[in-house]
Amino acid sequence: MAKKSVASLQTGSKRLTKAIKMVRSPKSGAYTFVESIMTPEKVNDWLNK
């Protein structure tokens, strides 16, 4: 689980965060990375899913 605020994502008055998490595939058992750009308030909810 990673949370990173990127300067290029901060446009105008909106502040966005890029969150990356590892998800295990049920079919192969391999890990994949899922990325999403969202507001900082929603990051913890997204990571806990």
Side-chain angles (χ1 to χ4, degrees):
M1 296 188 298
K3 184 170 84 169
K4 181 178 181 182
S5 293
V6 180
S8 64
L9 295 176
Q10 298 174 6
T11 57
S13 63
K14 292 196 175 192
R15 185 167 163 248
L16 301 174
T17 301
K18 181 177 184 180
I20 304 169
K21 68 177 174 179
M22 283 189 352
V23 178
R24 189 172 189 139
S25 172
K27 189 179 277 187
S28 66
Y31 284 99
T32 59
F33 293 95
V34 179
E35 299 180 9
S36 182
I37 298 174
M38 65 197 77
T39 60
E41 294 81 27
K42 297 181 182 178
V43 172
N44 286 334
D45 294 333
W46 184 75
L47 289 174
N48 289 332
K49 283 187 186 175

